[in-house]
Amino acid sequence: MEKKVVIVGGGIIGLSCAYYLSEAGHAVTLIDRGNLTSGCSFGNAGMIVPSHMIPLAAPGMISQGMRWMLNSKSPFYIKPRLNKELLSWGRNFYRSANQQHVDRSMLALRDVSLLSKQLYHELAQKSSEIAYEEKGLLMLFQSDKVGEEENHAGEIARKLGLAVDFLSKDAVQKLETGAKVNAIGGVYFKSDAHLYPNKLMDFLIQVCRKNGVQFKEETEVTSIQVENGKIASVSSSVEKISGDEFVIAGGSWSPELTKQLGIHLSLLAGKGYSFTLNQPPQRPLIPSILCEGKVAVTPMGSDLRFGGTMEITHVRDTKINQKRLQGIVETANSFYPEMKIQFPNPDDQWYGFRPCSPDGLPFIGRSSKLSNVVIATGHAMMGLSLGPATGAIVTAVICEEKAPVSIENFHPDRRF
Ligand SMILES: Cc1cc2nc3c(=O)[nH]c(=O)nc-3n(C[C@H](O)[C@H](O)[C@H](O)COP(=O)(O)OP(=O)(O)OC[C@H]3O[C@@H](n4cnc5c(N)ncnc54)[C@H](O)[C@@H]3O)c2cc1C
């Protein structure tokens, strides 16, 4: 049965929902406060990462995080403030950072990631513009200690069925023919893929328009009307939009929306930065993570993007921390000593807010609080990667069909 579905949020998650819902024959309206040209889903590192099956909340993360907090150029930081949300998120993170949680989450993350990659593979048949490539992901390291951690993660992924190679210094350089690499070794996840996020977003907007999705841009949802245990409509300052079903895909702003529904989402913004070199004369050809500095490096078409840092903060904190950006540049130059990467000009500096749940898993599914609301957010470092799978899952939920993979671990009402 065709339903009228209203989606709040036009990042990769909202757009993926719009795409699969419209393909399934529903009448979709997508609302975004911006003009769908910028934001977290555009400037990210474009990696599709079945390799990332260990959630952020894992043993060892708290002590590692503490060490990083003391270094102004480090890749991780929690902006200290006396705030109820931050304290509760921190408590939930602490409770989740254990081995049982990791064991419970890995299969769920593997399955949803592999589904998403399969869906990206299908989308790429429809557009070469998105620059989708299956070249894997190289985790590069410069110290024995980090190498041990990465090898361990690679062993786990291999046991769970992913193709992983463990590379010596020479084997790294043999694989990476685009630039000289200064690393003592690498773990190569052959399962991963990458694309050009800005071009993917343009493509999805275009196909959604063709499918009849109605876009309401520059339209901020400021209030939500609930009647008889359901959302009746959402309102902006100029109009009221009604529907049969509502999808909340507001990224880091989602808690502001769900609060109005009596749904508490433990979610904070994880600010990260990137800059893109247009057609650099020399560039790595294999997407890589420079592990000591947690910097992501992605060839996108003929461009090259560097991204990194995770500053747990709030959505009003829009300043770009120049020291942390400098940390990204220094890490990049240390791993690619011949590239001589320059500090980016202010106009080329980008930031985005990753919507971070405290247990490192997304929130996908219906909340038990209201009968016609589906939540789709909290994808943190994996939102681009998990976009299509999330769109397909949300479509199955709204069509009252079995989800294509288990979503039990992603329940929006879960306790931490
Ligand atoms: C440096 C960096 C690198 C990254 N690299 C990768 C990567 O390689 N692979 C990967 O998988 N992920 C990566 N990510 C994470 C990924 O970018 C995010 O997880 C993803 O973009 C989140 O998508 P979203 O749709 O949930 O949120 P957003 O893209 O933030 O979209 C939410 C939208 O909701 C709208 N909205 C919010 N509230 C309202 C309202 N009240 N009314 C109307 N509209 C509203 C906002 O305007 C926004 O457009 C990276 C992130 C960063 C910062």
Side-chain angles (χ1 to χ4, degrees):
M1 189 187 71
E2 184 191 308
K3 290 182 177 176
K4 189 172 174 215
V5 186
V6 178
I7 301 171
V8 185
I12 182 61
I13 301 301
L15 271 177
S16 300
C17 294
Y19 173 67
Y20 288 100
L21 283 162
S22 60
E23 288 279 302
H26 297 291
V28 180
T29 303
L30 183 141
I31 309 172
D32 199 285
R33 70 147 80 87
N35 61 4
L36 304 181
T37 57
S38 60
C40 197
S41 298
F42 290 82
N44 64 65
M47 292 178 174
I48 297 153
V49 282
S51 58
H52 281 41
M53 53 173 75
I54 300 178
L56 191 62
M61 258 316 284
I62 291 179
S63 50
Q64 173 69 73
M66 295 288 196
R67 285 195 295 276
W68 272 332
M69 289 281 289
L70 303 173
N71 175 354
S72 63
K73 290 182 187 167
S74 78
F76 181 79
Y77 181 69
I78 299 183
K79 196 180 173 75
R81 57 203 157 105
L82 263 184
N83 169 278
K84 216 172 91 193
E85 277 315 306
L86 177 61
L87 293 174
S88 139
W89 190 96
R91 194 177 53 235
N92 293 338
F93 185 92
Y94 178 78
R95 283 188 186 145
S96 306
N98 59 61
Q99 196 55 45
Q100 287 110 300
H101 169 65
V102 172
D103 293 343
R104 266 199 311 270
S105 310
M106 280 191 307
L107 285 179
L109 282 176
R110 178 197 65 183
D111 292 349
V112 72
S113 289
L114 289 174
L115 168 67
S116 222
K117 185 186 158 194
Q118 172 59 32
L119 295 172
Y120 268 126
H121 185 88
E122 289 167 19
L123 279 178
Q125 313 306 310
K126 301 185 179 178
S127 163
S128 57
E129 291 288 298
I130 64 175
Y132 174 83
E133 291 189 84
E134 294 182 354
K135 284 193 173 171
L137 173 68
L138 193 46
M139 307 295 290
L140 293 170
F141 47 85
Q142 294 178 324
S143 66
D144 289 331
K145 184 177 172 293
V146 174
E148 246 171 61
E149 288 161 14
E150 293 307 322
N151 283 321
H152 178 62
E155 291 290 359
I156 293 173
R158 196 185 247 185
K159 276 194 195 127
L160 292 181
L162 295 195
V164 186
D165 281 350
F166 299 90
L167 306 184
S168 65
K169 182 180 166 70
D170 290 347
V172 163
Q173 195 61 78
K174 205 166 159 208
L175 177 70
E176 178 50 86
T177 53
K180 177 153 178 20
V181 182
N182 175 28
I184 62 164
V187 178
Y188 183 41
F189 290 91
K190 296 174 170 178
S191 52
D192 289 14
H194 68 283
L195 48 67
Y196 209 139
N198 312 60
K199 301 199 170 166
L200 168 75
M201 295 297 281
D202 290 347
F203 166 71
L204 285 175
I205 292 167
Q206 201 187 313
V207 280
C208 283
R209 284 197 203 282
K210 274 199 197 131
N211 284 356
V213 173
Q214 278 202 31
F215 282 86
K216 295 201 178 276
E217 294 167 50
E218 318 265 350
T219 304
E220 178 169 2
V221 169
T222 48
S223 66
I224 306 182
Q225 293 71 48
V226 175
E227 285 168 19
N228 305 320
K230 282 178 155 190
I231 296 187
S233 54
V234 295
S235 298
S236 71
S237 57
V238 288
E239 63 183 321
K240 197 178 249 195
I241 301 155
S242 57
D244 304 314
E245 297 273 3
F246 292 80
V247 180
I248 305 292
S252 298
W253 296 265
S254 299
E256 293 171 9
L257 291 157
T258 60
K259 199 160 102 185
Q260 301 183 46
L261 306 171
I263 299 170
H264 176 256
L265 273 190
S266 186
L267 186 142
L268 290 176
K271 192 164 46 157
Y273 307 122
S274 77
F275 58 93
T276 307
L277 306 181
N278 294 320
Q279 310 192 347
Q282 183 193 147
R283 63 185 189 127
L285 300 175
I286 308 289
S288 299
I289 293 186
L290 315 178
C291 293
E292 275 78 0
K294 298 267 179 245
V295 170
V297 187
T298 320
M300 296 179 179
S302 49
D303 298 339
L304 182 69
R305 183 169 290 172
F306 293 93
T309 82
M310 171 73 99
E311 292 174 35
I312 298 294
T313 183
H314 52 84
V315 287
R316 289 166 303 284
D317 175 17
T318 58
K319 205 173 132 221
I320 294 185
N321 182 319
Q322 302 292 301
K323 279 205 174 143
R324 275 181 220 286
L325 199 55
Q326 183 62 36
I328 296 178
V329 175
E330 284 174 13
T331 298
N333 278 320
S334 151
F335 277 79
Y336 304 113
E338 291 183 356
M339 281 191 65
K340 311 268 182 279
I341 298 146
Q342 302 294 314
F343 190 79
N345 293 321
D347 285 352
D348 299 327
Q349 302 174 3
W350 175 91
Y351 77 90
F353 292 124
R354 303 174 185 89
C356 297
S357 68
D359 62 357
L361 300 180
F363 298 108
I364 315 174
R366 279 199 196 281
S367 163
S368 57
K369 293 263 167 68
L370 297 162
S371 62
N372 65 343
V373 180
V374 181
I375 312 278
T377 187
H379 297 73
M381 299 126 70
M382 293 179 285
L384 184 279
S385 193
L386 299 182
T390 305
I393 292 168
V394 166
T395 302
V397 169
I398 286 180
C399 294
E400 283 155 35
E401 290 167 1
K402 189 171 179 295
V405 289
S406 166
I407 53 171
E408 208 184 320
N409 290 269
F410 309 146
H411 203 293
D413 295 344
R414 66 182 178 270
R415 298 244 165 263
F416 300 99

